[in-house]
Structure formats: structure tokens, C-alpha cells
């Protein structure tokens, strides 16, 4: 089992829709969770982080964490073509490092 | 302020040659990480420096890979006797400290191609 798994893509949504990106992790002791966005040919940039169970909202982005289910998700409301990118889920594991999923490629169609 | 910088941005080398990749972290950041990203893949952890502590080298794929960080700032990743499977984008990141509450900021990466 991979330490961090993301839903297989690519994911395609129409402009204005909600995009839902999912991630599960295997280390039950993980405490911190990060979502990075990576445009093609560019380096990852942090979108959001979440530490506590529940929802955390920042503009059009909402991160959701359920530690009991070892599940974290990212919702993008009112998706825009500029949101088209690969989204990387990263989990801070007990090994004192960030472990990344392989990413989900999102395409928002105008 | 200035972000994480890396050089060179692109490097093409022949199989068997040694290469050095450089990372300049954000000023004041004590933690520095190296990752590797192969085409279409996620980020693979390579090595982690925190202040003056011994680095966590557990992600280095072979003894051909080594890294150092001088004066708690600039870091160099060295790959000896490069192989074609070493071709990837090498990303450096830094954070205020190496704990779970500080986000990592990435540099633009070095694209390494081994021919």
C-alpha cells in the first residue's frame, strides 16, 4: 500500500463546477496535510494546509480532513480554466518528512 | 522577498559523468529538502537538512547520490557516474523549520537529462 494515494485522474470538470480531489494516507499518526498545485513545467506551490478534523475554507478552496478514515480532500468551487493543473496531496509522516501522492491532473473546460 | 533559487535550470550530461546541482534556500529557513520528480510522477524525497543536525539521507536512491549544506544555507546535490534513470527534475524546498507546521516552499527545479 502506498503511503499517500490520490484518486486516479485525469479529472475533467466544466467551468463553474465543483472539482473534488481525494487523498488517503496510511500512517495513522500523521498530523499535517498539505495540498500543492503544480502547473505543467513548474514547481509545486502550496494551496492549503490542514491539521484538524473538519473543513477549512480559503476562498474557492475547501480542505476536508477525517483522521479516523485517514482521508483528506480538496474541493474547488466555481472551477476556472486557470485551475487546470496537477494537484498534489502531501502528508507529514512520522518520519519527519512530507510524503507526496502521485497527483491528480485536473482540467477545467471553458 | 527572494524565493528558493536553483541552478542550473537545465543540465544535459553524458552517462557516466558527475553533476552538481545547487540550491539557495529562502533566507532564515533552517530546513532544506531535496526531491526528485520523474515525468508524470509525484515527488520522491531524497534528503533533508535541519540546521546543524545530521541530515536525513534515507531517501537517497544509491551511494552515487550525496548532498551537503554549507554554513546552514546553500546546498549542493551531487550525482556521480550518472545513469539514464537519473533523468528527472530535481526540486529543492526550504521551510522555516523542519516540523509539521511549516509549509515548504519550492524552487523552480533543475531538469537533468542523462544521454
Amino acid at each position: 500500500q502506498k503511503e499517500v494515494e490520490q484518486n486516479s485522474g485525469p479529472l475533467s470538470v466544466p467551468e463553474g463546477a465543483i472539482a473534488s480531489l481525494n487523498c488517503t494516507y496510511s500512517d495513522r499518526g500523521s498530523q499535517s496535510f498539505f495540498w500543492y498545485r503544480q502547473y505543467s513545467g513548474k514547481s509545486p506551490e502550496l494551496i492549503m494546509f490542514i491539521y484538524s478534523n473538519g473543513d477549512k475554507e480559503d476562498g474557492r478552496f475547501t480542505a476536508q480532513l477525517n483522521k479516523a478514515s485517514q482521508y483528506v480532500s480538496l474541493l474547488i468551487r466555481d472551477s476556472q480554466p486557470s485551475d487546470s493543473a496537477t494537484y498534489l496531496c502531501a502528508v507529514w509522516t512520522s518520519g519527519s518528512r512530507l510524503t507526496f501522492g502521485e497527483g491528480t491532473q485536473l482540467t477545467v473546460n471553458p | 522577498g527572494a524565493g528558493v533559487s536553483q541552478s542550473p535550470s537545465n543540465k544535459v550530461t553524458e552517462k557516466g559523468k558527475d553533476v552538481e546541482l545547487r540550491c539557495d534556500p529562502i533566507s532564515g529557513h533552517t530546513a532544506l529538502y531535496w526531491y526528485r520528480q520523474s515525468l508524470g510522477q509525484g515527488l520522491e524525497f531524497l534528503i533533508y537538512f535541519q540546521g546543524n543536525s545530521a541530515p536525513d539521507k534515507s531517501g537517497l536512491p544509491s551511494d552515487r547520490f550525496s548532498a551537503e549544506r554549507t554554513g546552514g544555507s546553500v546546498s549542493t546535490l551531487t550525482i556521480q557516474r550518472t545513469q539514464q534513470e537519473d533523468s528527472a527534475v530535481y526540486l529543492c524546498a526550504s521551510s522555516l523549520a523542519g516540523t509539521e507546521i511549516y509549509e515548504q516552499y519550492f524552487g523552480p527545479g533543475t531538469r537533468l537529462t542523462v544521454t
Side-chain angles (χ1 to χ4, degrees), chain A residues 31-32 34 36 38 41-46 49 51 88 92 95-103, chain B residues 33 35 37 40-43 45 48 56 58-59 91 98-104 106-108 111:
Chain A
Q31 295 295 321
S32 305
F34 301 80
Y36 284 82
Q38 186 174 28
K42 302 294 184 182
S43 57
E45 56 179 331
L46 182 70
F49 57 88
Y51 306 137
L88 300 168
W92 186 270
S96 296
R97 67 175 71 155
L98 270 185
T99 300
F100 286 81
E102 292 190 357
Chain B
Y33 306 80
Y35 296 90
Q37 188 173 35
Q41 300 297 308
L43 275 70
F45 167 80
Y48 156 55
D56 176 357
S58 58
L91 290 159
T99 71
E100 66 274 14
I101 66 172
Y102 294 111
E103 57 264 38
Q104 296 182 17
F106 284 83
R111 181 175 299 278

Side-chain angles (χ1 to χ4, degrees), chain B residues 4-69:
Chain B
V4 178
S5 60
Q6 292 186 245
S7 61
S9 55
N10 280 284
K11 177 72 176 178
V12 180
T13 190
E14 292 180 352
K15 177 181 172 182
K17 300 282 189 181
D18 297 352
V19 295
E20 283 190 355
L21 312 179
R22 176 188 168 106
C23 172
D24 214 325
I26 293 172
S27 178
H29 281 194
T30 63
L32 186 149
Y33 306 80
W34 283 98
Y35 296 90
R36 177 169 72 174
Q37 188 173 35
S38 301
L39 189 63
Q41 300 297 308
L43 275 70
E44 175 190 4
F45 167 80
L46 297 178
I47 188 168
Y48 156 55
F49 295 89
Q50 171 57 57
N52 295 320
S53 302
D56 176 357
K57 305 179 182 180
S58 58
L60 295 178
S62 78
D63 58 10
R64 296 186 295 105
F65 288 72
S66 63
E68 62 178 20
R69 188 179 185 192

Side-chain angles (χ1 to χ4, degrees), chain A:
Chain A
Q1 180 188 6
K2 293 181 181 178
E3 291 187 70
V4 180
E5 293 201 55
Q6 296 187 238
N7 51 326
S8 58
L11 177 66
S12 181
V13 299
E15 183 174 357
I18 296 175
S20 178
L21 304 160
N22 304 315
C23 175
T24 58
Y25 58 95
S26 61
D27 184 349
R28 188 168 287 279
S30 299
Q31 295 295 321
S32 305
F33 308 86
F34 301 80
W35 283 100
Y36 284 82
R37 176 176 62 197
Q38 186 174 28
Y39 292 112
S40 181
K42 302 294 184 182
S43 57
E45 56 179 331
L46 182 70
I47 299 176
M48 290 190 72
F49 57 88
I50 185 167
Y51 306 137
S52 304
N53 276 328
D55 295 359
K56 179 181 179 183
E57 188 174 318
D58 184 0
R60 296 186 294 112
F61 298 94
T62 299
Q64 299 175 318
L65 174 62
N66 183 326
K67 291 184 180 180
S69 300
Q70 295 174 244
Y71 174 90
V72 58
S73 66
L74 180 70
L75 300 178
I76 307 174
R77 291 184 300 282
D78 187 23
S79 296
Q80 301 297 307
S82 59
D83 295 326
S84 298
T86 296
Y87 289 80
L88 300 168
C89 171
V91 177
W92 186 270
T93 64
S94 55
S96 296
R97 67 175 71 155
L98 270 185
T99 300
F100 286 81
E102 292 190 357
T104 300
Q105 185 178 339
L106 171 67
T107 300
V108 181
N109 301 303

